[in-house]
Amino acid sequence: MLDLNRSDFPDGFLFGASTSSYQIEGHSFGGAGKTHWDTFAATPGNVVGGQNGDIACDHYHRMDEDLDLLRDANFDVYRFSTSWARVLPEGRGKVNAEGLDFYERLVDGLLERGIKPAATLYHWELPSALADLGGWANRDIAGWFADFTQVVMERIGDRVWSAAPINEPWCVAWMSHFSGNHAPGLRDVRATARAMHHVLLAHGRSIEVMRGLGMENLGAVCNLEYAVPVDGSEAAAKATRTYDGFYNRFFLGGLFNKSYPEDLMDGLGPHLPEKWHDDMDLIGQKVDWCGLNYYTRKLIAPAEGPWPHLEEVTGPLSKTQVGWEIYPDGLYHLLKRVHEGYTRDIPLYVTENGMACDDSVSGGEVKDQKRVDYLDAHLARVKRAADEGIPVKGYFTWSLLDNYEWNLGYAPRFGIVHVDFKSLKRTPKASYHALSTALQR
Ligand code: FCB
């Protein structure tokens, strides 16, 4: 059981679950084109076990069963993403009609069940044909993405409840071009700086397209981390500020204040595209809400070597299956900070929050009490923020299903529904039942 129930939250507060296309659908089905995740996974050493999204949860063929699970959990809203390569196998040009039909059936299936569809246009599966042209490091991606937005939203834009262009710009840009542990696996500061700017430019162009189609309730979704200095030294404080800068402040600053942090310019400035200032009005145009994805905090220490002169340090708090420290207070602090410093009066949503556990089925049950505790603790921080007048209007758990956790493959289990990746059988976990009960009360 969860401690908190629906009635503990303000009237109209929405509860939902999030997923993403490549992680659940099965990308080898339905005429989808190749993506940079397929080739990244096909390169030894990138993904645990060399696993890829070919089959994933086979959601492509089991969509109705999965939508029933959402309905039976009493969720109000479902956050899904549309795969660029499923709709446009070459990234541009010819539309795969079967792909577009799939997303239309998904949206209609949600509406039939009384669930609001919350669409994200891009959750990381860049078509390989566009990766060949430089992907996010190429400024032209903003136009390609605008065209993709047009194709998808001309079909489903009249029926989705909300839409966001891009999931987690930090992951698209930094994790994938600087840290190198997500596709395309680059480790290059110039490509990173360009991707950081272009991902926001693409966001802006996509919002423009959707406004042009008359759509409302458009937002931006950022993943944020609560950064903490490893000790009381000045050097640790500076390193933490830099980490917070390229993780949180860069994207929030661009999207909501039309500016990038000055203190990052010694490291990033030389690598940003020329005349980036000219794009800031487009990037910072008004959106209707902001989504925060929150999982963990990070301890930061100074380090030798080139910018950003820092490293992440393992912290002492209890950890999830993927080693992330559990720190619910960070969610409250970030909601408050984003509201006060960036988004002001527009609504906030927690668009992802959850944990990976080493779950297994026994006697038809999955006892994931740790996840129930995690959800309770984070929901309590969301409630605190709402009670203090911060306009947080909804909470989505990551994720509905156990799924393909990117470079970590299928071992980390983030779902409130267990998936047996051999039989593809779904088994709702204790956390699913707890949520379903709490949302009726
Ligand atoms: C988020 C991603 C999501 C999933 C969770 C665990 O950063 O948006 O796809 O990988 O982390």
Side-chain angles (χ1 to χ4, degrees), residues 252-273:
L252 291 168
L255 290 166
F256 296 101
N257 293 341
K258 299 187 181 180
S259 67
Y260 294 146
E262 260 316 304
D263 58 291
L264 292 183
M265 286 304 147
D266 55 337
L268 279 184
H271 309 295
L272 281 166

Side-chain angles (χ1 to χ4, degrees), residues 3-11 15 383 438-441:
D3 288 340
L4 289 168
N5 296 311
R6 187 189 282 283
S7 57
D8 294 308
F9 289 82
D11 279 350
F15 290 90
K383 175 174 159 53
L439 296 187
Q440 270 179 317
R441 296 180 167 175

Side-chain angles (χ1 to χ4, degrees), residues 117-375:
T120 303
L121 279 152
Y122 182 76
H123 198 129
W124 307 355
E125 55 287 293
L126 187 72
S128 296
L130 301 182
D132 292 344
L133 302 175
W136 290 103
N138 183 340
R139 183 181 174 89
D140 292 346
I141 196 157
W144 306 331
F145 188 62
D147 294 345
F148 165 58
T149 302
Q150 180 88 24
V151 170
V152 172
M153 291 306 173
E154 267 176 356
R155 179 67 81 87
I156 61 171
D158 58 335
R159 276 157 288 165
V160 296
W161 170 76
S162 73
I166 291 161
N167 180 64
E168 303 186 345
W170 179 86
C171 292
V172 174
W174 191 277
M175 188 160 59
S176 310
H177 298 80
F178 193 86
S179 318
N181 40 21
H182 272 198
L186 290 186
R187 303 205 59 211
D188 184 280
V189 68
R190 178 178 160 99
T192 304
R194 274 147 207 273
M196 288 170 88
H197 184 66
H198 295 153
V199 75
L200 295 183
L201 189 63
H203 158 91
R205 292 286 307 274
S206 175
I207 293 283
E208 265 186 347
V209 167
M210 291 193 279
R211 293 279 183 227
L213 290 169
M215 291 175 62
E216 292 170 0
N217 207 19
L218 309 180
V221 174
C222 293
N223 57 314
L224 303 179
E225 261 184 17
Y226 189 73
V228 182
V230 70
D231 57 34
S233 67
E234 184 130 331
K238 183 161 189 263
T240 304
R241 187 164 164 72
T242 304
Y243 184 88
D244 181 62
F246 65 68
Y247 208 112
N248 302 322
R249 290 182 290 123
F250 182 91
F251 301 102
L252 291 168
L255 290 166
F256 296 101
N257 293 341
K258 299 187 181 180
S259 67
Y260 294 146
E262 260 316 304
D263 58 291
L264 292 183
M265 286 304 147
D266 55 337
L268 279 184
H271 309 295
L272 281 166
E274 267 178 48
K275 300 199 182 147
W276 59 266
H277 293 95
D278 296 351
D279 297 324
M280 298 316 279
D281 281 337
L282 180 61
I283 288 174
Q285 72 191 275
K286 192 181 169 308
V287 289
D288 306 309
W289 53 270
C290 175
L292 273 70
N293 294 353
Y294 176 79
Y295 290 92
T296 190
R297 69 165 196 174
K298 222 29 99 39
L299 283 190
I300 304 299
E304 298 295 320
W307 186 86
H309 317 299
L310 60 85
E311 63 187 8
E312 298 170 18
V313 180
T314 306
L317 304 180
S318 67
K319 299 186 181 54
T320 72
Q321 188 193 10
V322 291
W324 297 351
E325 282 191 303
I326 300 175
Y327 188 65
D329 282 341
L331 178 54
Y332 165 77
H333 290 307
L334 287 165
L335 284 166
K336 187 170 159 69
R337 181 174 167 208
V338 170
H339 163 62
E340 289 174 353
Y342 297 96
T343 57
R344 297 158 201 112
D345 49 359
I346 65 168
L348 298 176
Y349 293 90
V350 178
T351 32
E352 287 182 26
N353 177 242
M355 75 179 287
C357 302
D358 187 11
D359 298 317
S360 56
V361 184
S362 159
E365 288 184 332
V366 181
K367 294 189 174 147
D368 60 338
Q369 185 59 39
K370 278 192 201 153
R371 180 173 290 106
V372 174
D373 295 344
Y374 181 102
L375 297 178

